[in-house]
Structure formats: C-alpha cells, structure tokens
C-alpha cells in the first residue's frame, strides 16, 4: 500500500496523541459504599473504620423513611452533646491520602423543617464536616464546616492559617425532603503550596463542576496532609432543638467519579480505605 508523506505524518500524530493521552480508566476508586440495606444487620464497622464503639450506636436503621432501597439511617438523641454522642461517620484516609490527593464524598440526607443544628450555647454551633490531621481525634491543621450557631452564621474554618469564611452558603436545607450532598477535597501538592481546594454541591444531578457548585474555596494551604474525616452532625454542647435527620446512600471515592472511569465494585470490608 502506498503511503504519502501526509498520511504518514497524520498516523504519527494520531499515535503520539494516543501515547500522551492520560489513562482515566482507574481515575476514581470507590472506597466506601454504604446504603444500609443490611437492615437490622447493618454494622458501622463494616463501612467506617474509626470510633465504631462510639458512633455505631448513634444510628437507628429504619424502613419508614429512606431515599432508595428499603432502609436508611436515622439519627439518635445527641444529648448531652459532644462528638461521641452525636450521629456521624468517621474514617481514616492516612494510608493513601498525601500531597495532591483527592477525595469525593457523596450522600443523601433529609432534615425536617424544624431541624435545629446548634447547641444550647449558640457560640458553640454544630459541625457537619471535620477534616483533621495526625491521629484520630486530632483536628490540628484541619478544616471544620459549621452549620449554625457560631455568631448565627454558617462558615468554613481552616485551622492551619486561621482563615474563616463567614457567610458560606448553608450546605444542608431543612424542608422535609431528600437532597443529594457532595464535597470534594484536594490536598495541596506540598507543604509550601497553597493550591488545595474544597468544593460543595447540593442536588447536582450527577454533574460536579464549578458551574453546579454551591460554593468553592481555593488556595488552601496545609502543613500536614489530612488523615481522617468526620461528617454527620457534631454538637459541641447539648442540642437545643429537633435533632432528628436521616442519611442514605453514602459513597466515598479517591477522586472525582464519572463516566467510564468510575469503579462501581463495592469496596472490601471494612471500608476499602487501604488504597495502593
């Protein structure tokens, strides 16, 4: 077959593009897959690997109200307050999460209209996300998202440089309906770089980019990689009002899921967090 120089050049170009195109086939691996479909046999430790002795009994598995399937998790009374008395989930990412790593957390939740995300002391508030460094329970240099209470404002607080973003749009809505929530975190590429990122979505309908984001925070700096994550409700004091809410269909990924790149295989027990 005769090949012109133009055809040869085109083939070489296509071959070069093929070689240089990154392979996204394993771009995002599912780390946690928790839909509570075990019903009465659901076990916190099969999905989340920290504080099961405290948080495992802070949920009631119910069939009366769920997003999908047959069951969801309903919060329990958080009084007298404190993270170990509140309904939340806590897991360790230290085995794989390092400079430049990404994590994506997605779940469905329902809050009644009269839900009150604050403690009796309005200056203590209620954390709905906490990202920490070091050993479990050490939030040094981490991030916290306050739902309400502190100066009656929703805000993000970054411990490393003491930055607080007051007036952050509330992530949760209290309307008695199920909503999808998602959070993306990118660790800075080094301890001398300020290029970390936090993005949050509500009801993004599967499209997770800046155009659908509820809010973003860029230029995040850290001196240590984050190592553990808590989400749910963490009352820093006795709860002052209605504390009942429901959670369903939780999944956590080590990157942005989507398209053909996502791994839909359920992770191994307890949570598949030992990612190579």
């Amino acid at each position: 077959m005769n090949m012109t120089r133009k055809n040869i050049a085109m083939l070489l170009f296509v071959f070069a593009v093929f070689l240089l195109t990154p392979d996204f086939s394993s771009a995002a691996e599912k780390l946690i897959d928790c839909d509570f479909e075990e019903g009465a046999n659901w076990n916190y430790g099969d999905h989340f690997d920290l504080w099961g002795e405290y948080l495992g009994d802070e949920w009631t598995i119910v069939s009366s109200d769920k997003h999908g399937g047959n069951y969801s998790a309903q919060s329990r009374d958080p009084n007298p307050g404190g993270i170990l008395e509140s309904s939340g989930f806590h897991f360790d990412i230290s085995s794989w999460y390092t400079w430049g790593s990404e994590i994506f957390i997605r779940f469905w939740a329902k809050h009644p209209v009269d839900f009150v995300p604050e403690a009796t002391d309005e200056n203590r508030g209620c954390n709905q996300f906490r990202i920490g460094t070091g050993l479990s329970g050490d939030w040094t240099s981490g991030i916290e998202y306050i739902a309400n209470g502190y100066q009656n404002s929703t805000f993000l607080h970054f411990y490393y440089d003491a930055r607080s973003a007051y007036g952050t749009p509330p992530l949760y809505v209290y309307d008695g309906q199920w909503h999808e929530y998602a959070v993306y975190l990118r660790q800075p590429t080094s301890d001398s770089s300020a290029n970390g990122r936090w993005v949050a979505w509500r009801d993004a309908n599967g499209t997770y980019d800046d155009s659908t984001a509820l809010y973003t925070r860029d230029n995040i700096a850290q001196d240590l990689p984050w190592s553990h994550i808590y989400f749910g409700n963490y009352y820093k004091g006795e709860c002052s009002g209605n504390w009942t809410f429901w959670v369903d269909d939780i999944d956590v990924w080590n990157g942005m899921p989507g398209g053909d790149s996502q791994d839909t295989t359920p992770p191994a027990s307890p949570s598949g967090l030992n990612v190579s």
Side-chain angles (χ1 to χ4, degrees):
M1 182 176 65
N2 294 326
M3 296 285 289
T4 65
R5 289 184 177 180
K6 182 176 181 181
N7 288 338
I8 292 173
M10 180 59 70
L11 287 173
L12 290 174
F13 173 77
V14 171
F15 184 63
V17 169
F18 175 79
L19 289 177
L20 294 174
T21 299
D23 178 13
F24 293 104
S25 61
S26 59
E29 181 179 354
K30 186 184 287 186
L31 309 180
I32 295 175
D33 188 351
C34 181
D35 58 10
F36 307 101
E37 288 306 291
E38 302 95 327
N41 295 319
W42 178 80
N43 179 40
Y44 178 98
D46 288 341
H47 303 278
F48 304 94
D49 56 1
L50 290 178
W51 292 1
E53 66 270 36
Y54 306 111
L55 302 179
D57 63 356
E58 297 300 328
W59 296 99
T60 300
I61 307 306
V62 298
S63 59
S64 56
D65 206 331
K66 63 271 186 183
H67 164 251
N70 299 304
Y71 300 96
S72 70
Q74 178 179 297
S75 62
R76 289 189 178 180
D77 190 342
N79 295 306
I83 196 167
L84 301 184
E85 301 294 334
S86 301
S87 295
F89 306 99
H90 190 198
F91 54 96
D92 182 2
I93 58 175
S94 62
S95 63
W96 63 274
Y97 200 83
T98 186
W99 301 115
S101 294
E102 302 170 285
I103 195 164
F104 178 82
I105 304 166
R106 176 172 55 193
F107 59 95
W108 288 77
K110 175 181 175 179
H111 296 78
V113 174
D114 61 345
F115 183 76
V116 180
E118 63 183 24
T120 50
D121 176 359
E122 67 175 16
N123 289 321
R124 303 188 75 180
C126 173
N127 284 181
Q128 292 180 324
F129 276 94
R130 288 180 72 92
I131 299 95
T133 60
L135 300 175
S136 172
D138 174 17
W139 309 106
T140 304
S141 197
I143 300 173
E144 65 178 354
Y145 169 75
I146 303 291
N148 201 356
Y150 185 76
Q151 297 183 3
N152 295 313
S153 175
T154 303
F155 75 107
L156 281 168
H157 180 71
F158 302 88
Y159 283 93
Y160 171 68
D161 51 14
R163 284 192 301 141
S164 291
Y166 294 95
T168 299
L171 181 60
Y172 294 170
V173 291
Y174 314 131
D175 60 2
Q177 304 296 318
W178 284 97
H179 293 275
E180 180 205 41
Y181 301 96
V183 169
Y184 166 84
L185 276 170
R186 185 183 68 224
Q187 179 76 24
T189 52
S190 72
D191 60 0
S192 59
S193 301
N195 55 3
R197 196 160 209 250
W198 163 296
V199 189
W201 294 268
R202 182 175 63 231
D203 297 327
N205 297 317
T207 302
Y208 307 103
D209 56 31
D210 285 5
S211 68
T212 60
L214 183 65
Y215 55 84
T216 64
R217 289 291 181 268
D218 288 308
N219 306 318
I220 296 173
Q222 282 291 115
D223 57 346
L224 295 169
W226 299 307
S227 62
H228 56 107
I229 293 176
Y230 173 96
F231 71 97
N233 272 5
Y234 161 27
Y235 294 90
K236 293 185 172 182
E238 189 168 343
C239 178
S240 62
N242 186 2
W243 43 263
T244 306
F245 68 104
W246 297 264
V247 176
D248 204 354
D249 296 325
I250 302 168
D251 56 292
V252 178
W253 305 71
N254 63 344
M256 289 295 295
D260 296 334
S261 67
Q262 63 183 5
D263 174 14
T264 58
T265 304
S269 179
S271 56
L273 289 176
N274 292 320
V275 178
S276 58

